[in-house]
Structures are given as C-alpha cells and as structure tokens.
Amino acid sequence: VAISAVAGIMKQIKRPHKKVPVKLSGTVAGDRKDNQWLQYNSSTLPRTQKDWDQCVFVEKTHWGYYCWPRNLMMYAPQEEQPTQNLAREEMTEWEQIIFDHFSDPVFINQFIEFLSLEDRKGKDKFSPRRFCLFKGLFRNFSDDFLPLFRPHMERLVADSHESKQRCVAEIISGLIRGSKHWSFSKVESLWELLCPLLRTALSNITVETYADWGTCIATACESRDPRKLHWLFEMLMESPVNGEGGSFVDACRLYVLQGGLAQQEWRVPELLHRLLQYLEPKLTQVYKNVRERIGSVLTYIFMIDVNLPYTQPTTSPRISDFTERILLQLKPLNEGDEEIQNHVIEENEVGVQDERTQAIKLLKTVLKWLIASAGRSFSTAVSEQLQLLPLLFKIAPVENDDSYDELKRDAKTCLSLMSQGLLYTEQIPMVLSVLQEIAGSSSWHARYTVLTYLQIMVFYNLFTFMSDQKAVNDVRALVIKLLEDEQLEVREMAATTLSGFLQCNFLSMDAPMQAHFEALCKTRLPKKRKRDLGSIVDTIPSAGKELANTSDEEWHSEGLKCCVFMYLAHLHFYYT
C-alpha cells in the first residue's frame, strides 16, 4: 500500500515538459519517406551531444505509421525545458519528504532489503507497482538517488536468487523509463553503468527469473524512441546465441531481445535484418529450446510484413524472401516420394553432416516458426509458405500417438493451424493444386491427411470457396477421387468428408453425382491375375486383407462398392 501511495504521489508531483507543434502530413500506412526519419539507423544515431540536441524524438510507436496527428507535439529542446534538478528549498513539501527519505543511506538499505525479500515462493513476479515507484523517483528527481542505488544494483545483479534478480529488474526498468527526459550526458553515464549490469544479469539468468528480465526490457522499451535506447539494443544484439552458459541462457538472451524489439514494431527494420542475418546460419545448429525461441523470434521479425490495401511495402524482412531461401535448403527432403522419418538423434552432432540431416534440423526450426506465427501474425500464410505443404504431408502421422517424435507432432500441429488460416481468393487454386498433387502420392498417410486438411480449410473459408464455382468443382473431384482409393482408411475419411460437405450444402447430391455412384456400383472389371500372397504390402486395406486371394480387379470393384456404402452410412448418420 505504501509503495502504491508513493508511486501515486510521484505521478501527482510530475513536472510537465514543454512541447512545440510539428507540421507533417501523410495518409498511407507503411514505411514511407515522411516517416523514414523515425526508424532506427545505426549510421545516424545520436552518439554525441550535438546529434542528441538536433534529433527529434517521437516516443509513441503508433505515430507516423498510418498517418500523423492533426497537431503533432514534440518535446522542446533541453535548454527550453524547466529546470529538473531542483534544490531542496525549491521543492514542495511532498517532494521534500520523499527527497529526504531516499537521500538517507540507512533508509535505502532497509528499503532494498525489504523489496528483495521472498514473499511467495514460486508465485512472485515482476511488480508493476514497484516499477512505477522507481520510474517516478528517477523521473521527478533525475539522477539524485542513483549513487545510493548503484552499489545495491551491483550486488543484486550478481546474486542468482530469484527475489534479488526480480528486485534489480524492477529498479532497472524504472530507471530506464524514468530517464526519458534526462540530459545527454546523464543518459550516456547511465548506460555506462547499465550495460555491464545487464550483461551480468543475463549471464546469471535462471528458470525462475527469465520471465522477469523479459518483462523488464519490454517495459523499459514500451513507448520509447529506439534511437534514445540505442545503447540497450546494440548491447542485446551482441551475439545472443554464443553458447556461453548453455542452450538455456542462449534462449533467454533471445527472449529478452525479442521483448525489446517487439515493442518497437515497425521502427527497427535495420535491427530486424541484422538479427535475421545472424540467426539464419544457426537454424540447423541449435538445441530444442533455442529452436523454439528462434521460431518465436522469427514471428516478430516478420510481424510487419502484411499485404493489406493502401499499405506501402515494408522495409522490414519479407517472409517471401526468407521462405524462398529456406525451400532451397529443404530441397533434399523433397526428393523422392517416401515418408520422411526423423533420424536425427543427437541435438548437436560434432562433425560434417549430410544435407538430409541438416535439412531435417532446419525443418524442425521452420515448424516452430510456422506454429508460433499461426496465432500471432497479422495476416495469413503467404504463397511461399504454402509451398511447404507437400513436405508437411510427408511427415504428419495419421494417428494421435504421443510416442511420435517432435518432428511428426509439430508437422501435424502445423498442418492443423495452417488449415484454419484465412485464404485469399488468389491462393485457393494454388492450395488445391498442392492437395491434388499429394492425393496422387504413394503414401496413404499423406492421402489421408489431405482429406483432414481439406475439411478444415473449406469450413474456415466456406464463403470464399462457395463464391468460386471452379474451386467447388475441384474440391468435389478430389473427394470423389479419394472415395475410390485403394486404402480403406482413406476411403472412410473421404466418405466422412463428402457427408460433411453435403450436410453444410457446400456440395449437393445432384444428378451427375448420383449417376456417378450408380455407375461405380455396377462396374465389374475383367479378371486378369491373382495377387501373390507373398506380395501383400501396405496398399492392402487393413480391414480387408481377406480379399488378398481375389484378383486386383475384383478387389477394386468390391472397394468401389464399399466406399459407396460407407458414404451412404455417413450420410444417414448426419441426417438422422
């Protein structure tokens, strides 16, 4: 309660900063010439007093991306601002009380000891109230209290205990946000202190504290001009995946960096390009936890790559360019028609590995990216991503079995998520073309999975499909083709799929379809040869192996009748 009260007082005694109007114009979303000056550019960063004074900072992230405010107010130069470092005699009574307490070393010692105590083991987390308190202290009193906090910060950051790390994370985030209006000399001195502290903190990060440090950096970067924080971003970009401290520390460094970059969205394309260039060679050389984190980071790297009306092309990394490069590296897996099995046992084998092994490890990371981006991206899968579908169909299993390895589980999850995505009209022919290609695969697992994908895809894009008669006809032809499949499981799923499409009136039982089924029931193919009992393979239906002694043509005729009967049974179930 006391912390909340002091934080509230800090907000009430906040001294306003002078603003001046800026005349700008622009009405089209995206990266344009009139907002390019807002973006992070390492060649024009304010590293000197002169550059700092001449730089116009815009703290709000949303300003300038779509349009400019009618009256855009910027903070006036430092020399025109009211005095920040007031003498004690110039302060109000409330300010004097707070100043006296936080200038007392004994009080500071007791205060830090209290904040670094463990309250509820396993349930404590980064406190917004404490962050607001420190933000108010360093905003209203500048760096007056920093000499007293500095030794405590250096002590806490070297201690790996959860409560100690959380306390210093709250102090640092409040300090960064509170220094928003400090002079250049003070900000430069601040980062000379903070950068070594943050490096130490990241090297001592633990399972209990990594979320707190991610929140710390994300909170510190929220609604802040990235050019003001260039010390922080350049420090976080220093080889995040370097192996020092193991795979867990690598994943945590990426997590903390991701938290800071995600707050900046469209304003740091240079950093996103640099990070992507750094990560691409490491996509096949990482552990599972790093792989998952890289997949999440890739989602935010491509977050701004959206294709919307009245939107300028982004200067941030493009999904299409990245996927094109990935497809070339996955080419060894596309060769052949057999199902892909994960034969990579070790996480990081030493020595030279063949192309197929490298491609499988790369595919694992790509799957993590596709899964993460399915729920976070602003737009649906682009055409280049849909080109990965044939590869995924060769991996995803039919059964729901927990014994399957990571590769198969992720492929099945990825297909499920991609099938739920919104399809644009121009993407439908391409997707159907891929499904038709897979429907001719020798793997019945792939043919079966085509039907499950088709069901979800059509239902999630029902009205888009129904507005295109050619697409409806293509779906109908594909389902009927798989109704005649030689594998019993495929025929059963095709019957279920057709019944569902008829039930929702996507397809109709018209005269041509009825005539087609009647013709199938009456078809009797001529006998040619007997099946060799020793040649029974996976193409024989698991529920119909008793037909092995009959001819191929007789078995096929029986299969056609079977598929029609299954369809009628499913139809009766749905309508009754």
Side-chain angles (χ1 to χ4, degrees):
V1 174
I3 291 175
S4 300
V6 176
I9 294 174
M10 290 292 101
K11 192 171 183 179
Q12 291 181 29
I13 64 176
K14 174 184 175 182
R15 287 182 287 274
H17 285 70
K18 183 179 178 181
K19 295 184 179 181
V20 294
V22 179
K23 294 184 178 180
L24 294 167
S25 62
T27 55
V28 180
D31 298 331
R32 308 180 307 274
K33 290 183 178 180
D34 67 313
N35 64 15
Q36 189 174 7
W37 59 278
L38 276 175
Q39 296 182 349
Y40 189 97
N41 188 341
S42 58
S43 62
T44 59
L45 292 176
R47 292 189 172 94
T48 64
Q49 180 71 57
K50 180 180 178 181
D51 294 339
W52 185 274
D53 294 338
Q54 293 178 349
C55 188
V56 179
F57 296 108
V58 177
E59 306 291 353
K60 301 300 181 183
T61 309
H62 59 278
W63 282 355
Y65 183 73
Y66 175 69
C67 62
W68 298 98
R70 293 181 179 178
N71 296 315
L72 178 61
M73 304 294 291
M74 297 288 101
Y75 289 106
Q78 187 70 30
E79 60 272 11
E80 299 181 22
Q81 296 292 350
T83 304
Q84 295 298 305
N85 291 82
L86 299 178
R88 186 184 183 283
E89 295 74 19
E90 300 175 314
M91 298 179 183
T92 64
E93 182 181 358
W94 289 5
E95 290 176 319
Q96 289 178 356
I97 295 174
I98 295 174
F99 181 83
D100 292 340
H101 279 80
F102 283 93
S103 298
D104 182 3
V106 177
F107 174 80
I108 292 296
N109 292 339
Q110 295 175 341
F111 185 61
I112 295 299
E113 286 299 322
F114 168 72
L115 294 184
S116 59
L117 289 175
E118 186 178 63
D119 185 16
R120 298 172 301 171
K121 185 174 180 61
K123 296 183 178 180
D124 292 337
K125 57 183 179 180
F126 187 93
S127 173
R129 292 182 178 181
R130 295 179 181 182
F131 156 74
C132 290
L133 169 64
F134 289 113
K135 174 186 174 182
L137 285 175
F138 294 111
R139 177 193 61 208
N140 293 4
F141 297 94
S142 189
D143 60 346
D144 290 347
F145 307 135
L146 189 56
L148 293 177
F149 278 97
R150 178 170 182 166
H152 293 285
M153 293 166 62
E154 293 174 344
R155 174 178 57 85
L156 292 173
V157 82
D159 193 328
S160 60
H161 286 84
E162 179 182 357
S163 58
K164 313 293 185 182
Q165 290 283 310
R166 182 176 300 110
C167 177
V168 72
E170 293 163 351
I171 297 173
I172 289 178
S173 61
L175 183 54
I176 296 174
R177 286 284 292 276
S179 64
K180 178 179 179 179
H181 298 295
W182 289 12
S183 64
F184 173 76
S185 59
K186 291 184 178 181
V187 172
E188 190 175 35
S189 300
L190 172 65
W191 285 109
E192 290 178 359
L193 165 66
L194 289 184
C195 285
L197 290 180
L198 288 171
R199 290 190 183 96
T200 304
L202 293 178
S203 63
N204 292 332
I205 203 165
T206 64
V207 177
E208 293 81 13
T209 61
Y210 83 94
D212 296 325
W213 282 110
T215 305
C216 167
I217 299 302
T219 305
C221 297
E222 182 185 3
S223 295
R224 292 297 307 275
D225 192 309
R227 296 167 294 173
K228 270 190 177 180
L229 303 176
H230 66 84
W231 294 275
L232 173 63
F233 287 119
E234 294 297 334
M235 186 273 297
L236 294 176
M237 292 285 291
E238 295 173 355
S239 301
V241 186
N242 53 28
E244 296 180 3
S247 63
F248 174 75
V249 176
D250 285 347
C252 291
R253 278 194 289 260
L254 283 176
Y255 175 73
V256 172
L257 173 59
Q258 173 184 338
L261 294 179
Q263 296 295 326
Q264 297 300 325
E265 299 177 356
W266 63 280
R267 297 195 295 183
V268 288
E270 178 189 319
L271 293 179
L272 296 180
H273 278 288
R274 284 166 52 185
L275 182 58
L276 180 62
Q277 185 178 8
Y278 173 80
L279 290 178
E280 275 199 54
K282 303 180 182 299
L283 297 180
T284 61
Q285 303 175 5
V286 294
Y287 290 89
K288 178 183 177 182
N289 54 349
V290 183
R291 224 170 21 238
E292 292 176 346
R293 181 50 52 191
I294 289 179
S296 182
V297 171
L298 289 174
T299 301
Y300 284 95
I301 288 178
F302 300 115
M303 183 73 73
I304 307 301
D305 184 17
V306 294
N307 183 18
L308 297 173
Y310 308 106
T311 303
Q312 291 282 84
T314 178
T315 57
S316 296
R318 304 284 186 88
I319 298 177
S320 57
D321 298 335
F322 174 72
T323 311
E324 186 177 350
R325 296 192 297 270
I326 291 299
L327 286 169
L328 291 176
Q329 299 179 55
L330 294 176
K331 193 173 181 180
L333 299 181
N334 285 317
E335 298 173 354
D337 201 24
E338 72 279 3
E339 295 181 13
I340 298 175
Q341 302 293 333
N342 177 24
H343 64 275
V344 180
I345 301 176
E346 298 293 334
E347 290 288 352
N348 272 343
E349 295 91 344
V350 179
V352 180
Q353 301 174 4
D354 58 33
E355 291 183 350
R356 188 174 179 85
T357 301
Q358 292 282 14
I360 288 178
K361 298 177 76 174
L362 172 62
L363 181 59
K364 287 183 177 182
T365 308
V366 172
L367 288 173
K368 299 296 185 185
W369 164 51
L370 294 175
I371 292 172
S373 61
R376 301 178 190 171
S377 298
F378 295 138
S379 60
T380 186
V382 295
S383 302
E384 287 75 13
Q385 285 179 296
L386 294 175
Q387 294 178 22
L388 292 167
L389 285 178
L391 200 55
L392 302 185
F393 280 121
K394 294 168 70 173
I395 305 172
V398 171
E399 303 87 356
N400 291 320
D401 190 347
D402 293 337
S403 65
Y404 279 113
D405 59 27
E406 175 195 358
L407 185 67
K408 288 185 175 294
R409 287 197 305 269
D410 286 352
K412 190 176 183 67
T413 302
C414 188
L415 281 176
S416 177
L417 292 172
M418 291 182 69
S419 64
Q420 299 174 40
L422 174 67
L423 289 178
Y424 300 128
T425 305
E426 61 272 14
Q427 292 177 334
I428 289 178
M430 184 184 64
V431 178
L432 291 178
S433 176
V434 172
L435 296 181
Q436 290 167 355
E437 177 186 348
I438 301 300
S441 170
S442 61
S443 168
W444 73 265
H445 286 82
R447 301 196 302 271
Y448 181 97
T449 310
V450 163
L451 290 163
T452 60
Y453 187 94
L454 187 65
Q455 291 177 27
I456 303 173
M457 180 185 69
V458 170
F459 290 141
Y460 270 84
N461 299 273
L462 184 62
F463 298 107
T464 307
F465 270 92
M466 294 184 71
S467 64
D468 186 350
Q469 188 58 43
K470 183 180 184 304
V472 175
N473 294 337
D474 290 342
V475 171
R476 171 179 166 172
L478 179 59
V479 175
I480 291 179
K481 174 185 176 182
L482 293 175
L483 271 171
E484 304 172 15
D485 195 88
E486 60 183 10
Q487 189 72 20
L488 176 62
E489 289 84 351
V490 178
R491 297 199 302 273
E492 288 180 338
M493 181 54 65
T496 303
T497 304
L498 179 59
S499 299
F501 287 164
L502 290 171
Q503 175 70 13
C504 70
N505 205 30
F506 175 71
L507 297 178
S508 59
M509 180 52 68
D510 51 12
M513 183 181 292
Q514 187 173 356
H516 175 75
F517 286 131
E518 290 176 354
L520 289 180
C521 290
K522 297 177 181 178
T523 300
R524 180 175 294 278
L525 302 177
K527 296 182 181 180
K528 287 187 178 180
R529 62 181 177 81
K530 301 288 184 179
R531 181 184 296 276
D532 185 3
L533 288 175
S535 65
I536 299 177
V537 292
D538 189 45
T539 56
I540 298 179
S542 57
K545 292 185 178 180
E546 66 278 1
L547 298 177
N549 293 324
T550 63
S551 68
D552 287 343
E553 292 75 16
E554 288 176 340
W555 172 84
H556 193 58
S557 178
E558 292 297 325
L560 294 178
K561 294 179 181 178
C562 181
C563 80
V564 175
F565 292 143
M566 284 190 299
Y567 151 70
L568 293 174
H570 280 288
L571 190 61
H572 175 74
F573 171 77
Y574 274 103
Y575 277 98
T576 56

